[in-house]
Amino acid sequence: MNIQEKIAGFFPEASFEEGEILRIDIPAEKLHELAQKLRDEFGYDYLVTIVGMDWTDSLGCIYYLMNTADKSQISFKAATADREHPALDSVADLWKIAVILEREVYDFFGIIFVNNPDMRRLFLNIDWVGYPLRKDYDENPELNPVTTESERQSDETYVWKREDGKLVKHVERVFQDDDFVVNIGPQHPATHGVLRFRTALDGEIIKKIDVYMGYIHRGVEKLCENLQYPQTLHFMDRLDYFSAHNYHHGLCLCIEKAMGIEAPRRAQVIRVIMDELSRIASHCLFIGTYCMDLGATTMLFYTLRVREQILDIMERTCGARMTFNYSCIGGLMADIHPDFVKDVKELLAICPKNVAEYNKLFTGNVITKGRLEGVGVLTHDDAISYGITGPSGRASGWACDVRKTHPYSIYPELKFEQVVRTEGDSMARFKNRMDEIQQSVDIINQLIDNIPEGEYCAKVPKIIKLPEGHWFQIVEGCRGLFGVYIESKGGNQPYRLKLVTPCLNLASVVDHITRGDKIADLITIGGSLDYIVPDIDR
Amino acid sequence: MEMKKVTTKSMPYEDWKDNEYIESLVQELRDSGTNIIVGSLDTLINWGRSNSLWPLTFATSCCGIEFVSLGAARFDMARFGWEVARSSPRQADFMMVAGTIVNRMAPVFRRLYDQLAEPKYVIACGSCAISGGPFRKSYHVAKGIEDLVPVDVFVPGCPPRPEAMIYGIMQLSRKVKVEKFFGGVNRQENRKEYLAAHPVEENK
Ligand code: SF4
């Protein structure tokens, strides 16, 4: 009996939509029950994302789940027709990351999640008028002007409960009255961008952190709805700007899947090489800035040396140092530079030496060990519940590398092993990235001599239109799982384009893993998670 | 009398792209008249200031990463005396606005500007800071920082190359050189007027 029949047995009212990922359409009242069944009986222990949707006649959510044991994916959808007071049941008791994901949906669509312990807005001001991702949102800038007036702050949060069939709003407090709250950020050198932590302290011990996001929320998802598919690609460079190639790759794959085309082999190989080069550059910058945060300022100069070399390679081929915009639908924008292979080989030759040098300079150092080992431990189960992917998740013993679990492009042909550690502390996260530099070098080594000849871009129509439908694609960014959900009503613009970014999860776990640690460790822990703030806020 | 050629170290005057602008500033400086002692003092102080402009570490997004590259060995802004990036606005001379400013950030940004000690300067770095850039049509992005603070130098690009940033900061140090430290001619911002139009928010 397959899973669809089993679920149909439990929930006769559910309907199904088959596809690459099975979608269950469930009435809103049964949402929580179904979610619980999927998690407890079918092993879907990882909530990949919640996609808020406005179908104009109804508002709703699509939940994407993954079973970490057999890697299967499933999704379910629940909707409500009430536009005045839309409400769905929360799944925050099942997956810890749901607290934040539901807050995001509330912020964008105004859907209230009943029993979510923290139903505040996430990215927008408390007094923001309207819900921007709704189709009938009023964009008039006078309603929500850019002002220099400080935004209203509040310690209140809300919990909605169903009591006697009615929705009741309870007011709770984020901090207790006698909490001593220190504000860190948004302008702080160690938060790696404009992230703000409201930190409740007991002496030097962290009691609670309220992560306050949205200082660089640029509304990319809404912007994409009014752009043609090739235009949406440009934003992928500007979310996690270190994973620019990887994110491009993800969105291209998703659109190509929808169009039913495949990039030529040459393009696929080059894309993978670019992805891995980005990974090396990204991890190098991580090591540099992280060591700098911890006081080892000179490391930045060592690691940026390699990064500059990679940027030179990219620049020769893509014409830019950061916003490459290289992959396009159907392949690549342009062919590689004639010197590409030679340059990459030079890089590959020096990389292992450099890693050895970093290890000598930093990793073995007593102070490093003292500050990193055993600090900010994230357990395996929490990593899954919070959806912490990438090197950070793999430091907690969760083998979550999308390149292995859901291989795409030419990754199945490549020989490499996931870098997994089980300690779950900052040191493991740090070392994982060191090892992944080496791993990427090995991957590129397998490819660089075998770039096949041929076209670098498939023939695609001038105007790219997608048929009606929806598609979901995941790839491995430099910091974890990156996903794209596209829903199309036909035409050349997406009806909804949702970006699933790893850094949102990384930032929301900060509160959990810093509790009980010293405030100085906040820098160590936050740095080792390596979030990129525009990637959190989108 | 020949026009004074304002330039910075190792950059020939003829290589600058917009000398007319700086010449107009020199003219203005000359027209305002000054006595010789104060004038020489000005030159001395400005020579010192223009060679040790300290930036505030302020990076909200992508452009900020290029600013990091600027600090590293390859582009090495220490050559020009700008490497002392301060994390506190109280210790910085200018603010390199590298990145998008969104609605929620705008008040924070304005406060940082207000906290900079006089004389202070702003460089709008990247198309986001100049106009909103690729995000101009968004519901949550400020369409250029000029609405929020006065800007001295604009550096276009998305992101601007580190060389462009160097050029931008050099322009700023040129501007500093033609300023009257005592008396405040040639400040783009006339502080009184500006503050009247953009009042500092009272603590509520
Ligand atoms: S100008 Fe371009 S690179 Fe700079 S912050 Fe804006 S989008 Fe990013």
Side-chain angles (χ1 to χ4, degrees):
Chain A
M1 202 155 79
N2 70 10
I3 180 162
Q4 178 172 340
E5 287 158 10
K6 281 189 200 155
I7 292 170
F10 287 122
F11 300 95
E13 58 278 74
S15 58
F16 298 88
E17 188 186 328
E18 283 175 40
E20 197 187 1
I21 299 173
L22 179 71
R23 182 188 276 192
I24 309 165
D25 200 340
I26 190 86
E29 319 80 73
K30 294 278 179 183
L31 180 156
H32 190 271
E33 208 177 312
L34 172 70
Q36 180 121 36
K37 270 248 151 44
L38 287 175
R39 190 192 71 158
D40 295 343
E41 287 177 31
F42 297 96
Y44 288 99
D45 46 358
Y46 167 32
L47 174 62
V48 182
T49 191
I50 303 179
V51 187
M53 284 298 303
D54 179 1
W55 290 284
T56 59
D57 53 347
S58 62
L59 291 165
C61 291
I62 302 157
Y63 299 70
Y64 275 88
L65 305 178
M66 195 190 287
N67 180 331
T68 54
D70 67 8
K71 321 291 179 219
S72 63
Q73 297 186 72
I74 201 165
S75 66
F76 63 95
K77 163 188 152 184
T80 161
D82 185 352
R83 286 187 82 85
E84 284 300 309
H85 301 287
L88 292 174
D89 285 336
S90 166
V91 292
D93 53 332
L94 304 174
W95 296 279
K96 291 178 182 159
I97 188 62
V99 179
I100 290 276
L101 295 180
E102 288 174 351
R103 274 178 70 188
E104 181 191 304
V105 175
Y106 170 64
D107 206 3
F108 289 164
F109 293 94
I111 301 174
I112 287 161
F113 289 87
V114 183
N115 295 332
N116 183 312
D118 192 6
M119 201 69 303
R120 280 178 293 163
R121 296 201 89 132
L122 186 62
F123 298 131
L124 304 174
N125 296 350
I126 333 179
D127 300 318
W128 193 268
V129 185
Y131 299 101
L133 263 81
R134 283 199 188 182
K135 294 287 171 188
D136 54 3
Y137 174 66
D138 185 353
E139 292 218 23
N140 184 355
E142 276 162 31
L143 287 177
N144 298 298
V146 180
T147 73
T148 51
E149 206 132 314
S150 300
E151 67 176 281
R152 188 166 68 82
Q153 301 284 325
S154 166
D155 273 353
E156 280 181 6
T157 181
Y158 312 101
V159 184
W160 295 77
K161 294 225 159 81
R162 273 212 181 82
E163 284 164 15
D164 315 326
K166 271 199 299 256
L167 277 183
V168 185
K169 183 177 182 179
H170 296 262
V171 178
E172 306 261 342
R173 293 187 63 79
V174 180
F175 296 110
Q176 302 311 313
D177 277 337
D178 54 352
D179 272 349
F180 180 74
V181 182
V182 176
N183 183 61
I184 302 173
Q187 161 65 18
H188 188 281
T191 52
H192 288 220
V194 279
L195 189 60
R196 176 172 163 212
F197 298 120
R198 293 198 292 166
T199 316
L201 291 178
D202 178 6
E204 255 196 282
I205 308 290
I206 298 171
K207 270 170 80 180
K208 176 174 185 175
I209 293 184
D210 180 33
V211 185
Y212 216 77
M213 312 170 183
Y215 286 94
I216 187 74
H217 171 61
R218 307 187 272 197
V220 171
E221 288 173 14
K222 180 81 173 179
L223 284 171
C224 285
E225 287 174 13
N226 294 314
L227 293 175
Q228 299 182 3
Y229 288 105
Q231 293 176 315
T232 58
L233 281 169
H234 300 263
F235 291 122
M236 300 305 116
D237 289 327
R238 293 164 174 88
L239 300 167
D240 175 353
Y241 22 80
F242 301 118
S243 311
H245 283 300
N246 312 48
Y247 282 22
H248 260 271
H249 198 164
L251 183 52
C252 286
L253 282 178
C254 194
I255 298 174
E256 285 162 10
K257 177 155 71 181
M259 291 170 70
I261 58 169
E262 197 175 70
R265 171 106 191 153
R266 181 177 175 82
Q268 295 198 13
V269 172
I270 296 173
R271 276 182 185 175
V272 168
I273 295 178
M274 286 300 189
D275 285 4
E276 297 306 321
L277 283 176
S278 311
R279 200 179 313 280
I280 300 175
S282 163
H283 289 345
C284 279
L285 193 103
F286 157 78
I287 295 166
T289 49
Y290 187 47
C291 298
M292 194 166 76
D293 285 349
L294 296 176
T297 323
T298 38
M299 273 299 272
L300 186 72
F301 302 115
Y302 284 92
T303 57
L304 280 198
R305 193 171 54 195
V306 175
R307 190 174 127 85
E308 286 293 339
Q309 197 174 347
I310 296 175
L311 293 192
D312 278 347
I313 298 175
M314 303 262 186
E315 193 184 347
R316 288 182 132 182
T317 291
C318 318
R321 281 169 51 88
M322 273 186 71
T323 39
F324 311 113
N325 199 32
Y326 188 48
S327 291
C328 66
I329 299 164
L332 304 167
M333 282 276 177
D335 210 347
I336 45 173
H337 188 270
D339 285 343
F340 182 78
V341 175
K342 179 175 119 310
D343 291 346
V344 172
K345 280 191 178 157
E346 272 170 27
L347 173 86
L348 296 181
I350 61 144
C351 255
K353 284 187 220 142
N354 276 318
V355 173
E357 187 181 35
Y358 305 154
N359 278 328
K360 195 166 126 207
L361 283 171
F362 189 78
T363 319
N365 191 305
V366 233
I367 304 175
T368 310
K369 286 189 177 159
R371 284 207 67 180
L372 300 190
E373 279 175 1
V375 173
V377 178
L378 178 67
T379 62
H380 174 261
D381 292 350
D382 279 341
I384 295 177
S385 191
Y386 277 101
I388 303 300
T389 51
S392 307
R394 293 193 281 280
S396 298
W398 177 22
C400 54
D401 195 327
V402 183
R403 293 174 295 174
K404 278 282 179 201
T405 59
H406 300 85
Y408 50 96
S409 189
I410 56 159
Y411 279 111
E413 303 164 19
L414 299 171
K415 282 200 272 316
F416 66 99
E417 285 305 318
Q418 297 196 42
V419 181
V420 180
R421 283 190 163 70
T422 47
E423 298 89 340
D425 58 357
S426 305
M427 191 57 149
R429 291 191 278 273
F430 177 80
K431 283 186 176 165
N432 261 10
R433 291 192 170 84
M434 275 302 190
D435 291 349
E436 282 191 11
I437 296 182
Q438 187 56 47
Q439 181 196 47
S440 294
V441 170
D442 294 341
I443 293 178
I444 303 174
N445 261 328
Q446 297 172 38
L447 292 171
I448 192 69
D449 282 325
N450 312 315
I451 303 178
E453 293 298 322
E455 291 288 302
Y456 58 82
C457 191
K459 291 255 171 305
V460 287
K462 281 243 158 44
I463 294 176
I464 288 169
K465 284 197 175 138
L466 295 197
E468 209 162 306
H470 54 83
W471 301 269
F472 188 60
Q473 173 71 41
I474 52 175
V475 294
E476 180 78 13
C478 300
R479 284 161 188 74
L481 175 142
F482 171 71
V484 185
Y485 173 85
I486 296 181
E487 180 152 340
S488 159
K489 295 253 185 258
N492 56 2
Q493 295 175 336
Y495 182 75
R496 170 98 168 95
L497 195 151
K498 157 88 183 161
L499 301 165
V500 184
T501 53
C503 295
L504 179 66
N505 303 35
L506 291 173
S508 53
V509 81
V510 170
D511 175 36
H512 172 71
I513 58 174
T514 50
R515 277 199 197 185
D517 278 324
K518 299 241 168 57
I519 186 155
D521 291 334
L522 173 61
I523 308 302
T524 317
I525 296 170
S528 72
L529 291 169
D530 190 23
Y531 38 70
I532 297 295
V533 185
D535 193 48
I536 302 175
D537 288 353
R538 275 159 286 139
Chain B
M1 203 164 78
E2 215 201 312
M3 186 66 75
K4 187 174 146 202
K5 293 194 168 162
V6 186
T7 185
T8 60
K9 199 167 49 183
S10 62
M11 179 92 170
Y13 186 68
E14 292 69 34
D15 284 359
W16 294 94
K17 291 263 181 286
D18 49 354
N19 283 325
E20 307 77 38
Y21 176 63
I22 220 77
E23 275 162 19
S24 73
L25 291 184
V26 174
Q27 193 58 45
E28 198 182 317
L29 185 70
R30 191 179 292 160
D31 291 350
S32 72
T34 187
N35 89 33
I36 184 103
I37 298 173
V38 176
S40 323
L41 250 179
D42 259 354
T43 315
L44 183 67
I45 290 174
N46 286 341
W47 172 77
R49 287 200 305 139
S50 67
N51 284 307
S52 66
L53 285 168
W54 290 3
L56 169 74
T57 332
F58 181 80
T60 60
S61 50
C62 350
C63 280
I65 304 304
E66 285 296 67
F67 190 62
V68 173
S69 309
L70 195 60
R74 183 176 191 184
F75 296 100
D76 191 16
M77 56 181 178
R79 292 176 292 164
F80 306 96
W82 311 325
E83 81 281 22
V84 199
R86 302 277 87 177
S87 303
S88 158
R90 302 285 187 208
Q91 302 162 344
D93 295 311
F94 76 97
M95 200 169 177
M96 186 98 171
V97 185
T100 327
I101 299 294
V102 303
N103 290 36
R104 179 169 261 182
M105 193 65 197
V108 181
F109 168 56
R110 179 58 206 270
R111 176 162 305 186
L112 284 167
Y113 175 78
D114 289 335
Q115 286 176 344
L116 282 171
E118 281 281 351
K120 53 187 165 188
Y121 309 91
V122 174
I123 298 182
C125 177
S127 44
C128 282
I130 296 173
S131 68
F135 307 100
R136 192 175 166 81
K137 288 197 181 135
S138 168
Y139 55 86
H140 198 248
V141 166
K143 290 159 192 56
I145 56 166
E146 253 208 315
D147 302 339
L148 304 167
V149 299
V151 179
D152 294 274
V153 178
F154 294 91
V155 183
C158 181
R161 298 181 57 87
E163 293 92 328
M165 294 188 181
I166 293 179
Y167 186 75
I169 312 180
M170 277 170 129
Q171 287 284 17
L172 180 65
S173 58
R174 259 198 339 162
K175 277 185 96 169
V176 171
K177 282 191 180 161
V178 294
E179 214 179 77
K180 234 186 199 176
F181 188 69
F182 300 103
V185 182
N186 283 352
R187 295 299 314 284
Q188 186 200 11
E189 166 204 15
N190 186 328
R191 194 160 162 75
K192 273 208 192 99
E193 264 172 41
Y194 188 80
L195 283 182
H198 303 77
V200 181
E201 188 198 345
E202 297 288 321
N203 271 340
K204 281 175 206 143

